[in-house]
Amino acid sequence: MRVIIVGNGLAGVIAAKTLRELDKKVEIEVFAEEKYHYYPRPNLIEFLAGTIPFERMFAFPQEWYKEQNINIHLGKPVTRIFPDSQEIEVAGGKKEKYESLLLANGSFSFIPPFKGAGKKGIFALRTLDDAFELLEYLKNHQRVVVIGGGLLGLEIARAMKSRGARVDVVEFFDRLLPRQLDIQGASMLKAQVENMGIYVHLGLATEEILGQNDVRGLKFKGEREIEMDMAIVAAGVRSNIRLTKEAGLETDRGLVTDDYLQSSNAKIFGAGDVIQHRGRIYGIIPSSFNQARVVASNILGMKEKYEGTVPSNTLKVAGLDLTSVGLVNPEEGTSEEFRKEKKEEGIYKKIVIQKGVVTGAIWMGTKKGVNEISRIISQKINIEKHKISLLEDDFDYSVL
Amino acid sequence: MEKWECTACGYIYDPKEGDPDNGIKPGTAFEDIPDDWVCPQCGVGKEFFQKIA
């Protein structure tokens, strides 16, 4: 059996690792666009901040791939797929045969079509090379604007601040972390971020990037402007679907897969940011990890279902513990919400309950009960009887 | 000694068992693991682990 994996990010490498755990003989070939071995992407932030050196970016030592008998071809992007003859074409023109193909070629940073977006000094952070370019430019450009106040945007802002830059964060929504927080939680977070000396601007739609050849400022709808020397765009990611579309595989915003993570072609599977499962593209590590484990089994002919992952995010900004699990901003009238706030201690907790089951939670300023609430959500435990007392600090989770 | 969970993949580090495959002896507290140790399951660093309360 010969399996070709496209991509050596988390999904590709974990799938390769799992394939090897399950089957000593299967031939595993990984083709990667990046010229570096697998590193967990969150490490990029630490590298940017200067807290992890280059050598410590990587998850597994180079010998590991040899020991596991996994053949990795770095700097070799796949340029075409030929489903009928079960072949791929690698940059340079060489063709390779597969019995099963796993597409784990991820996503790219989305840069909205601002006026002036072609100027010098606009960056995104997705790869190690992005990080190198960014740091090089930062040396002579110390006023940084981060466009996007989501998870990645805030982490980048923190990293840039720790490098001594002046940092402004611009968010289109009326609050930070619009996907993970509600208004109340987000306003607490904003105060913490501002405490670090980072400037936060909310509800601003970027209209134009100003400057001659190099960026000099940002102009928003309504004539407001701010000055800057470099912009880092953190406005989300989009799946890499050019290959899958050209190959005629069913593709929507991502490569469409069923619960077995199989595409519309029985020999082609998908995992990670590139796929769309039950209409959803996750773009987070835990789901890529689960998908990689499941898809490896299915490539080997076992029938294992992937049922989805409850999104969960833990973030540490400005020393503030923050966890957001599941659906935290439900549509009106579909749920009950319970909150508990202790302003002086910086603690804010909220749960969202739908039909007796907790479907979302925000935990700020404390870690106590985070693991328990996450489990209650993923296991869909009915807590109707305890919904009033659940947010108490001394709630005994063992009664559930 | 407390168990720690990888927030990326859910792997649980149990000090009773350690991680012998990667040179961490049984009985090693999470705090005493070298900084360059990574999650044996998904490869993220120690900073992605959370104490299980």
Side-chain angles (χ1 to χ4, degrees):
Chain A
M1 167 89 147
R2 187 173 207 248
V3 180
I4 288 184
I5 298 176
V6 186
N8 77 331
L10 181 125
V13 170
I14 296 300
K17 186 171 177 261
T18 310
L19 278 169
R20 183 55 75 227
E21 283 165 20
L22 297 170
D23 186 329
K24 293 285 159 251
K25 288 197 191 121
V26 60
E27 205 182 315
I28 307 169
E29 303 284 335
V30 181
F31 290 88
E33 182 161 0
E34 278 194 78
K35 52 184 189 278
Y36 309 101
H37 272 303
Y38 163 59
Y39 52 89
R41 261 178 230 289
N43 284 0
L44 283 175
I45 299 292
E46 303 306 325
F47 179 67
L48 207 59
T51 47
I52 293 186
F54 179 76
E55 319 79 69
R56 275 197 44 212
M57 287 288 295
F58 304 95
F60 306 111
Q62 283 194 25
E63 315 84 70
W64 180 82
Y65 298 92
K66 222 174 226 159
E67 285 161 18
Q68 297 294 314
N69 197 14
I70 295 168
N71 295 317
I72 300 227
H73 310 268
L74 298 174
K76 296 275 179 205
V78 170
T79 48
R80 279 176 86 180
I81 303 167
F82 304 96
D84 293 338
S85 58
Q86 290 180 230
E87 282 176 305
I88 54 152
E89 184 187 88
V90 183
K94 199 168 172 239
K95 285 187 183 170
E96 298 276 351
K97 279 240 172 224
Y98 63 82
E99 278 155 272
S100 285
L101 179 66
L102 171 60
L103 296 174
N105 53 323
S107 55
F108 62 94
S109 307
F110 172 62
I111 312 264
F114 308 123
K115 212 172 144 194
K119 294 189 173 86
K120 205 173 151 212
I122 303 170
F123 297 86
L125 180 69
R126 186 78 198 150
T127 64
L128 248 172
D129 281 338
D130 288 343
F132 280 123
E133 283 173 27
L134 227 152
L135 287 174
E136 184 58 34
Y137 205 79
L138 182 71
K139 283 180 189 163
N140 299 311
H141 302 83
Q142 287 281 309
R143 287 178 306 173
V144 178
V145 171
V146 178
I147 302 176
L151 277 173
L152 182 63
L154 290 182
E155 295 279 19
I156 292 173
R158 169 177 70 88
M160 293 288 98
K161 184 70 197 168
S162 72
R163 289 272 181 182
R166 178 207 147 94
V167 184
D168 289 79
V169 174
V170 175
E171 169 56 47
F172 171 77
F173 277 90
D174 58 359
R175 63 184 189 277
L176 292 172
L177 299 191
R179 284 164 73 179
Q180 290 85 7
L181 287 183
D182 58 359
I183 292 273
Q184 221 169 321
S187 79
M188 272 175 71
L189 176 64
K190 179 172 180 271
Q192 296 273 349
V193 172
E194 286 171 337
N195 254 336
M196 294 177 73
I198 292 170
Y199 301 89
V200 178
H201 313 269
L202 300 174
L204 288 181
T206 303
E207 201 171 56
E208 186 178 352
I209 295 180
L210 307 169
Q212 291 286 324
N213 298 314
D214 299 354
V215 299
R216 279 284 161 256
L218 271 191
K219 184 167 166 285
F220 305 104
K221 284 215 173 80
E223 298 305 302
R224 245 189 96 180
E225 289 183 15
I226 47 177
E227 288 183 6
M228 63 166 177
D229 308 315
M230 68 187 285
I232 306 173
V233 183
V237 295
R238 298 288 183 272
S239 304
N240 283 317
I241 52 176
R242 187 189 58 82
L243 273 182
T244 72
K245 271 185 161 171
E246 286 175 5
L249 303 171
E250 189 188 344
T251 304
D252 184 17
R253 287 171 301 125
L255 168 68
V256 175
T257 68
D258 61 12
D259 284 357
Y260 302 103
L261 302 179
Q262 205 161 32
S263 73
S264 55
N265 180 300
K267 301 285 180 194
I268 303 180
F269 296 79
D273 289 5
V274 73
I275 72 161
Q276 183 174 331
H277 170 260
R278 298 187 189 173
R280 183 156 195 183
I281 299 172
Y282 288 91
I284 51 172
I285 290 186
S287 64
S288 292
F289 183 83
N290 294 341
Q291 290 167 6
R293 300 284 287 185
V294 169
V295 84
S297 305
N298 290 331
I299 287 171
L300 296 173
M302 298 166 223
K303 282 266 168 194
E304 203 182 320
K305 270 193 175 182
Y306 172 71
E307 309 261 14
T309 303
V310 178
S312 170
N313 288 291
T314 304
L315 176 83
K316 220 174 158 120
V317 170
L320 175 78
D321 290 313
L322 193 167
T323 302
S324 161
V325 190
L327 183 72
V328 297
N329 288 303
E331 276 173 56
E332 246 175 87
T334 62
S335 60
E336 296 173 89
E337 295 183 17
F338 292 89
R339 293 184 166 83
K340 186 175 177 73
E341 187 172 4
K342 285 198 260 175
K343 266 230 163 85
E344 59 298 344
E345 290 169 55
I347 292 175
Y348 174 60
K349 297 195 274 189
K350 161 173 146 172
I351 49 174
V352 176
I353 299 177
Q354 292 176 308
K355 294 182 184 134
V357 172
V358 185
T359 52
I362 294 172
W363 239 244
M364 289 179 78
T366 176
K367 278 185 175 175
K368 196 163 180 253
V370 162
N371 294 299
E372 287 83 357
I373 199 74
S374 302
R375 275 189 196 114
I376 287 169
I377 293 172
S378 61
Q379 293 171 5
K380 303 191 173 74
I381 296 167
N382 194 298
I383 55 97
E384 185 64 28
K385 278 190 290 188
H386 305 283
K387 62 187 182 187
I388 308 291
S389 53
L390 193 60
L391 287 177
E392 296 303 325
D393 289 339
D394 53 1
F395 180 76
D396 179 9
Y397 290 93
S398 65
V399 300
L400 295 172
Chain B
M1 280 186 282
E2 284 111 347
K3 293 179 185 178
W4 288 65
E5 182 175 13
C6 173
T7 54
C9 74
Y11 167 84
I12 290 172
Y13 176 80
D14 182 346
K16 259 192 247 154
E17 291 167 24
D19 177 19
D21 289 349
N22 297 296
I24 310 297
K25 287 189 198 129
T28 308
F30 187 81
E31 292 84 350
D32 297 331
I33 299 175
D35 283 346
D36 58 358
W37 177 83
V38 298
C39 171
Q41 200 165 253
C42 75
V44 301
K46 271 184 87 174
E47 55 278 21
F48 294 98
F49 278 73
Q50 220 173 53
K51 201 187 288 181
I52 301 180

